[in-house]
Coordinates of all heavy atoms in Angstrom, one line a residue:
G1 N 0.8 -1.2 0.0 CA 0.0 0.0 0.0 C 0.8 1.3 0.0 O 0.3 2.4 0.0
G2 N 2.2 1.1 0.0 CA 3.0 2.3 0.0 C 3.5 2.8 1.3 O 4.3 3.7 1.3
Q3 N 3.1 2.2 2.4 CA 3.6 2.7 3.7 C 5.1 2.3 3.9 O 5.6 1.2 3.5 CB 2.9 2.0 4.9 CG 3.4 2.5 6.2 CD 2.6 1.9 7.4 OE1 1.6 1.2 7.2 NE2 3.0 2.2 8.6
G4 N 5.9 3.3 4.4 CA 7.3 3.1 4.6 C 7.6 2.8 6.1 O 6.9 3.4 7.0
T5 N 8.5 1.9 6.4 CA 8.9 1.6 7.7 C 10.4 1.6 7.9 O 11.1 1.0 7.1 CB 8.3 0.2 8.1 OG1 6.9 0.1 7.9 CG2 8.6 -0.1 9.6
V6 N 10.8 2.3 8.9 CA 12.3 2.4 9.3 C 12.6 1.1 10.1 O 11.9 0.8 11.0 CB 12.6 3.6 10.1 CG1 14.1 3.6 10.5 CG2 12.3 4.9 9.3
T7 N 13.6 0.4 9.7 CA 14.0 -0.8 10.4 C 15.3 -0.8 11.1 O 15.7 -1.8 11.8 CB 14.0 -2.0 9.4 OG1 15.1 -1.8 8.4 CG2 12.7 -2.1 8.6
D8 N 16.1 0.3 11.0 CA 17.5 0.3 11.4 C 17.8 1.6 12.2 O 17.5 2.7 11.7 CB 18.3 0.3 10.1 CG 19.8 0.3 10.4 OD1 20.2 0.6 11.5 OD2 20.6 0.0 9.4
L9 N 18.2 1.4 13.4 CA 18.7 2.6 14.2 C 20.1 2.4 14.6 O 20.6 3.0 15.6 CB 17.8 2.7 15.5 CG 16.3 3.1 15.3 CD1 15.7 3.3 16.6 CD2 16.2 4.4 14.5
R10 N 20.9 1.7 13.9 CA 22.3 1.3 14.4 C 23.2 2.5 14.4 O 24.2 2.4 15.2 CB 22.8 0.2 13.5 CG 23.2 0.6 12.1 CD 23.7 -0.5 11.3 NE 22.7 -1.5 11.1 CZ 22.9 -2.7 10.4 NH1 24.1 -3.0 10.0 NH2 22.0 -3.6 10.2
Y11 N 22.9 3.6 13.7 CA 23.8 4.8 13.8 C 23.1 6.0 14.6 O 23.5 7.1 14.4 CB 24.2 5.2 12.4 CG 25.0 4.2 11.7 CD1 24.5 3.4 10.7 CD2 26.3 4.0 12.1 CE1 25.3 2.5 10.1 CE2 27.1 3.0 11.5 CZ 26.6 2.2 10.5 OH 27.3 1.3 9.9
S12 N 22.1 5.7 15.3 CA 21.4 6.7 16.1 C 22.2 7.2 17.2 O 23.1 6.5 17.7 CB 20.0 6.2 16.6 OG 20.2 5.2 17.6
N13 N 21.9 8.4 17.8 CA 22.6 8.9 18.9 C 22.4 8.0 20.1 O 23.3 7.9 21.0 CB 22.2 10.3 19.2 CG 20.7 10.4 19.7 OD1 19.9 9.6 19.3 ND2 20.5 11.4 20.5
Y14 N 21.3 7.3 20.2 CA 21.0 6.5 21.4 C 22.0 5.3 21.4 O 22.5 4.9 22.5 CB 19.6 5.9 21.3 CG 19.1 5.2 22.5 CD1 18.3 5.9 23.5 CD2 19.5 3.9 22.8 CE1 17.9 5.2 24.6 CE2 19.0 3.2 23.9 CZ 18.2 3.9 24.8 OH 17.8 3.2 26.0
V15 N 22.3 4.8 20.2 CA 23.2 3.6 20.1 C 24.7 4.1 20.2 O 25.5 3.6 21.0 CB 23.0 2.9 18.8 CG1 24.1 1.8 18.7 CG2 21.6 2.3 18.8
L16 N 25.1 5.1 19.5 CA 26.5 5.5 19.4 C 26.8 6.3 20.7 O 28.0 6.5 20.9 CB 26.7 6.3 18.2 CG 26.5 5.6 16.9 CD1 27.0 6.4 15.7 CD2 27.2 4.2 16.9
G17 N 25.9 6.7 21.5 CA 26.2 7.3 22.8 C 26.7 6.3 23.8 O 27.3 6.7 24.8
Q18 N 26.5 5.0 23.5 CA 27.0 3.9 24.4 C 28.1 3.1 23.8 O 28.9 2.5 24.6 CB 25.8 3.0 24.6 CG 24.6 3.7 25.2 CD 23.4 2.7 25.5 OE1 23.6 1.7 26.2 NE2 22.3 2.9 24.9
T19 N 28.2 3.0 22.5 CA 29.3 2.2 21.9 C 29.7 2.8 20.5 O 28.8 3.3 19.8 CB 28.8 0.8 21.8 OG1 29.9 0.0 21.2 CG2 27.6 0.6 20.8
A20 N 30.9 2.6 20.1 CA 31.3 3.1 18.8 C 31.0 2.0 17.8 O 31.0 0.8 18.1 CB 32.8 3.3 18.8
P21 N 30.6 2.3 16.6 CA 30.2 1.3 15.6 C 31.4 0.5 15.2 O 32.5 1.1 14.8 CB 29.7 2.1 14.4 CG 30.3 3.5 14.6 CD 30.5 3.7 16.0
P22 N 31.4 -0.8 15.2 CA 32.5 -1.6 14.8 C 32.8 -1.4 13.3 O 33.9 -1.5 12.9 CB 32.0 -3.1 15.0 CG 30.9 -3.0 16.1 CD 30.3 -1.6 15.8
D23 N 31.7 -1.2 12.5 CA 31.9 -0.9 11.1 C 31.3 0.5 10.8 O 30.2 0.8 11.1 CB 31.1 -1.9 10.2 CG 31.8 -3.3 10.3 OD1 33.0 -3.4 10.6 OD2 31.0 -4.3 10.1
P24 N 32.1 1.3 10.1 CA 31.6 2.6 9.7 C 30.6 2.5 8.6 O 30.6 1.5 7.8 CB 32.8 3.4 9.2 CG 33.8 2.3 8.8 CD 33.5 1.1 9.7
P25 N 29.6 3.4 8.5 CA 28.6 3.3 7.4 C 29.3 3.4 6.1 O 30.2 4.1 5.9 CB 27.6 4.4 7.7 CG 28.5 5.4 8.5 CD 29.4 4.6 9.3
T26 N 28.7 2.7 5.1 CA 29.2 2.7 3.8 C 28.4 3.7 2.9 O 28.9 4.1 1.8 CB 29.2 1.4 3.1 OG1 27.9 0.8 3.1 CG2 30.1 0.4 3.8
D27 N 27.2 4.0 3.3 CA 26.3 4.9 2.5 C 26.3 6.3 3.1 O 25.3 6.8 3.6 CB 24.9 4.3 2.4 CG 24.4 3.7 3.7 OD1 25.1 3.9 4.7 OD2 23.4 3.1 3.7
L28 N 27.5 7.0 3.1 CA 27.6 8.3 3.7 C 26.8 9.3 3.1 O 26.5 10.4 3.7 CB 29.1 8.7 3.7 CG 30.0 7.8 4.6 CD1 31.5 8.3 4.4 CD2 29.6 7.9 6.0

């Protein structure tokens, strides 16, 4: 029906405020 859903918060401030990402994002 066209609804969009976000499935990924791995680079959010909530996550990165606690741990550094093991892999940097590739889609800068």
Side-chain angles (χ1 to χ4, degrees):
Q3 180 179 356
T5 304
V6 177
T7 64
D8 181 344
L9 293 183
R10 67 181 68 182
Y11 296 106
S12 68
N13 66 329
Y14 190 100
V15 175
L16 298 188
Q18 302 180 57
T19 182
D23 290 333
T26 56
D27 43 8
L28 294 175

